[in-house]
Amino acid sequence: MHKGILIVDDNKDVYDSLALILGYYQYQCHWAETGAQAVDVVRSKKIDAVLLDLSLTYESGLDVLATLMDNDATLPVIMITAFGTFEAAVKAVKLGAVDFLPKPIKTDKLITALETALANRNAASVPLQEPPDGCPLRSRDPATLGIIAKAVRLASTNIPILITGESGTGKELLTEYIHQSSPRRDRPFVRVNCSVFSESLVDNELFGHEKGAFTGAVDQHAGLFEQADNGSIHLDEVGDMSHAIQAKLLRVLENGELRRLAGTRDIKVDIRIIASTNKNLEEMAEKGEFRRDLLFRLSAAHLVLPPLRERPCDIQLLAEMYLAEFSPPGKPKRLSQKAWERVRAHPWPGNVRELRGVIQTAVATTTGDVVDDDALPHALGRVATSVSGRLDVAEKDIIAKTLEEVGGNKSLAAEKLGISRRTLYNKMARYGI
């Protein structure tokens, strides 16, 4: 059966052109000039996706989007944007649009965007129980799985992505996975750590230079943005960029243009920017340390990876994974009961990276099959013995009794305990309830 596509545009010529292209690819097209007509079509026809122009003559495309989302929040809406409407496109994504396409629309990008939106709609109806094949992040935590699922859906778009979270939570792994899951997977994937270069070196690394730009510049040099053309670039620790570099990055995001050091012409680039940081960019923007307009553009899509202490169900999963990874082939090692108690009690301020290092060292220093607690760092988990350990026992009893009182209804139990359902799930996993 042909997929139904609603095109919302008050220019009949635009509709006719898009309908001709989509008809060739076996899509059934419908037309609406206004938001009211769009809702009527969605309710009366089988509509699988919507192409919506942001710049309607008599009403805001954002208002039409909001109306469509109120009618059916699962309906994929792809915004069509003119030059200079990036801010509106970002707002559209935050309202629920799945992608945006700049004018003039390229046929291959249009079809890719539609096919991906339709595929993602089907996939999104089934919550993840575990990460997809090929995903380097391992988790059973519902919040983390939700982040991974969102990353998969975003991968197919060109929307800039900001990934935040504490050090060691897996931001770099998620960034690479997004690129490998995107249509750009066969194109360059360039990484740059913004914290390890001085301002002048970052400028040169990112934007390149012309011959003679400075002493020693004997040849022309293409910067990392040019090297990433048609691919993706990961700007790690983006919060460490100077204001001068932030301004140049903003121009790349706005116009897809850059200029080399000492250059006299603009160079067009087509790149997907994924930024990451463990800093709070919103607080930095409030203090004037980070450009708010740049933050707005970088965070068109914002993924926040939770720390390991908020996903206790993953501690044993990851520890067992690292035990298998670092044990000699055919001679798997395991943690003793005391070692497990200390591993579960530790708050893991260094997150997954710290856990991996601890298990790797413990396995390397253990000659037998069982890794005892004396192979773990001395301070690991000691904090949770004595008073806090007794508090844990009391908390476990209270949660267990509350669940029994409400017949196992977790929503009611969370409400009675005065905590969120996610917190309840994490505590149940921690205490083995």
Side-chain angles (χ1 to χ4, degrees):
M1 182 180 294
H2 293 178
K3 296 292 185 181
I5 307 299
L6 171 61
I7 301 170
V8 185
D9 197 301
D10 51 13
N11 187 327
K12 183 65 162 55
D13 290 339
V14 172
Y15 167 75
D16 289 339
S17 177
L18 289 174
L20 181 65
I21 294 169
L22 294 176
Y24 177 80
Y25 288 90
Q26 305 301 304
Y27 287 104
Q28 179 66 47
C29 293
H30 304 272
W31 181 39
E33 294 181 85
T34 66
Q37 290 178 7
V39 172
D40 287 343
V41 173
V42 168
R43 289 175 176 172
S44 62
K45 308 285 185 182
K46 183 182 180 299
I47 301 299
D48 297 287
V50 177
L51 294 173
L52 170 60
D53 197 316
L54 264 175
S55 303
L56 300 173
T57 303
Y58 297 109
E59 59 187 318
S60 166
L62 292 176
D63 291 340
V64 177
L65 171 62
T67 302
L68 290 172
M69 290 293 97
D70 287 341
N71 184 74
D72 182 0
T74 69
L75 182 64
V77 178
I78 299 170
M79 308 304 296
I80 302 172
T81 70
F83 178 79
T85 58
F86 185 89
E87 289 189 6
V90 171
K91 290 179 182 177
V93 170
K94 292 181 177 179
L95 281 172
V98 298
D99 203 352
F100 59 86
L101 297 172
K103 294 179 179 178
I105 300 173
K106 296 181 179 179
T107 299
D108 58 336
K109 293 189 181 296
L110 171 63
I111 300 305
T112 297
L114 275 174
E115 289 178 348
T116 303
L118 293 170
N120 284 342
R121 186 187 196 187
N122 295 332
S125 63
V126 182
L128 286 180
Q129 300 299 314
E130 60 182 27
D133 291 343
C135 181
L137 296 177
R138 309 313 301 166
S139 179
R140 295 194 186 107
D141 174 58
T144 304
L145 291 173
I147 292 295
I148 294 171
K150 186 176 180 180
V152 172
R153 293 193 291 272
L154 288 168
S156 58
T157 73
N158 289 314
I159 299 170
I161 300 175
L162 175 65
I163 304 175
T164 59
E166 296 178 8
S167 294
T169 50
K171 298 187 293 295
E172 186 172 337
L173 293 176
L174 185 60
T175 299
E176 185 165 359
Y177 179 60
I178 289 171
H179 173 76
Q180 294 300 332
S181 302
S182 76
R184 298 172 183 258
R185 65 180 66 87
D186 296 323
R187 299 292 186 171
F189 177 59
V190 176
R191 302 181 185 88
V192 57
N193 188 330
C194 302
S195 67
V196 300
F197 297 108
S198 65
E199 179 178 331
S200 59
L201 284 176
V202 167
D203 198 345
N204 185 50
E205 284 294 312
L206 289 177
F207 301 99
H209 63 254
E210 298 290 350
K211 182 178 179 180
F214 50 83
T215 303
V218 295
D219 292 304
Q220 185 185 76
H221 170 66
L224 294 176
F225 280 128
E226 284 184 76
Q227 295 174 36
D229 194 24
N230 294 311
S232 307
I233 189 165
H234 174 204
L235 301 177
D236 192 18
E237 302 304 341
V238 71
D240 291 333
M241 274 188 173
S242 70
H243 269 267
I245 303 301
Q246 289 176 34
K248 290 190 173 184
L249 174 58
L250 183 62
R251 186 179 182 216
V252 176
L253 281 163
E254 286 179 333
N255 307 325
E257 294 179 347
L258 59 87
R259 185 172 292 190
R260 297 175 184 152
L261 293 176
T264 57
R265 65 183 182 89
D266 293 329
I267 299 171
K268 295 289 290 185
V269 288
D270 175 13
I271 51 177
R272 168 67 167 287
I273 293 179
I274 308 173
S276 64
T277 182
N278 58 12
K279 296 184 176 181
N280 188 323
L281 296 185
E282 184 62 40
E283 288 183 359
M284 292 180 66
E286 289 290 339
K287 297 175 182 177
E289 297 170 355
F290 198 86
R291 292 183 63 120
R292 183 165 293 282
D293 49 2
L294 176 59
L295 174 58
F296 178 78
R297 289 176 177 272
L298 286 176
S299 61
H302 187 187
L303 304 177
V304 183
L305 283 173
L308 189 55
R309 64 181 173 275
E310 291 183 6
R311 15 185 299 228
C313 58
D314 285 344
I315 293 175
Q316 183 163 343
L317 169 73
L318 294 169
E320 290 177 342
M321 183 179 79
Y322 294 136
L323 281 168
E325 177 181 345
F326 297 120
S327 292
K331 297 180 180 179
K333 298 189 179 186
R334 59 185 177 83
L335 294 181
S336 69
Q337 183 61 35
K338 283 187 177 181
W340 272 122
E341 289 174 0
R342 290 180 61 194
V343 166
R344 294 190 187 101
H346 189 58
W348 299 108
N351 293 295
V352 180
R353 185 182 295 131
E354 181 188 6
L355 174 61
R356 187 178 190 274
V358 165
I359 298 299
Q360 182 178 19
T361 302
V363 169
T365 56
T366 298
T367 55
D369 295 337
V370 179
V371 178
D372 208 349
D373 68 325
D374 59 5
L376 301 174
H378 177 71
L380 191 76
R382 298 294 187 193
V383 140
T385 57
S386 67
V387 174
S388 59
R390 293 194 296 274
L391 289 173
D392 284 350
V393 172
E395 186 176 58
K396 178 179 179 181
D397 288 343
I398 291 171
I399 291 173
K401 288 177 182 177
T402 304
L403 283 166
E404 185 177 352
E405 290 172 3
V406 298
N409 187 312
K410 297 180 182 64
S411 295
L412 286 178
E415 185 176 341
K416 289 192 69 173
L417 291 166
I419 59 178
S420 67
R421 283 201 305 170
R422 180 184 173 193
T423 299
L424 175 62
Y425 289 142
N426 286 339
K427 289 182 180 294
M428 288 174 65
R430 175 180 177 182
Y431 298 133
I433 299 174

